């Protein structure tokens, strides 16, 4: 009975890498599309006031991308806030705590 040849691990790695590479290409193409839509809007001479909400509403996928971006950067924001708290006086910290408690009641 003929023996099966051993699978080439490099071929397996390449097969797994192809979907990842395709996803990266799709993501780049989507980001290019979003950037182009935003730049088209910004370069429109008829637009007198930049309306971010209009951009988010009328550019397909932009709001989802923006929300995902903000969530990915949440940790960085938390670290910046934590570092900034160390520089505040006790009075400033107490005022901040009162504001937070006031927002929790609403």
């Amino acid at each position: 009975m003929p023996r099966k040849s051993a699978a080439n691990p490099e071929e397996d790695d390449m097969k797994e890498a192809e979907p990842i590479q395709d996803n990266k290409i799709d993501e780049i193409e989507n980001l290019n599309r979003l950037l182009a839509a935003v730049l088209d809007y910004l370069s429109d001479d008829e637009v007198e006031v930049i309306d971010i909400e209009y951009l988010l509403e009328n550019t397909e996928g932009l709001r989802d991308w923006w929300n995902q971006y903000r969530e990915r950067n949440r940790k960085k924001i938390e670290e910046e806030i934590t570092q900034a708290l160390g520089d505040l006086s006790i009075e400033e910290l107490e005022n901040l705590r009162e504001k937070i408690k006031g927002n929790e009641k609403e």
Side-chain angles (χ1 to χ4, degrees):
M1 190 180 264
R3 289 180 44 182
K4 272 183 144 181
S5 63
N8 187 348
E10 289 178 10
E11 288 179 13
D12 290 342
D13 290 344
M14 290 176 68
K15 288 178 185 175
E16 291 175 13
E18 287 176 12
I20 294 171
Q21 187 69 17
D22 290 343
N23 288 342
K24 291 289 184 190
I25 290 171
D26 291 344
E27 184 178 353
I28 290 169
E29 289 175 357
N30 188 46
L31 290 173
N32 282 337
R33 182 186 59 76
L34 294 174
L35 178 60
V38 170
L39 290 176
D40 281 344
Y41 175 79
L42 293 176
S43 64
D44 187 347
D45 292 336
E46 294 180 15
V47 175
E48 294 180 13
V49 177
I50 296 170
D51 184 354
I52 299 299
E53 190 59 34
Y54 174 86
L55 271 171
L56 292 172
E57 285 294 320
N58 294 294
T59 305
E60 182 184 341
L62 185 59
R63 183 177 300 281
D64 291 336
W65 175 85
W66 179 241
N67 290 336
Q68 291 170 2
Y69 174 82
R70 290 175 58 207
E71 194 58 41
R72 283 191 308 263
N73 288 305
R74 179 185 183 96
K75 198 60 139 175
K76 181 180 176 187
I77 293 169
E78 289 173 355
E79 289 172 4
E80 289 174 1
I81 290 171
T82 301
Q83 289 174 352
L85 291 175
D87 297 336
L88 297 178
S89 68
I90 188 67
E91 291 84 14
E92 291 171 318
L93 287 170
E94 289 171 344
N95 287 336
L96 185 57
R97 181 174 61 186
E98 291 302 316
K99 287 180 184 178
I100 291 170
K101 284 183 179 180
N103 285 341
E104 289 175 355
K105 291 178 183 177
E106 293 176 1

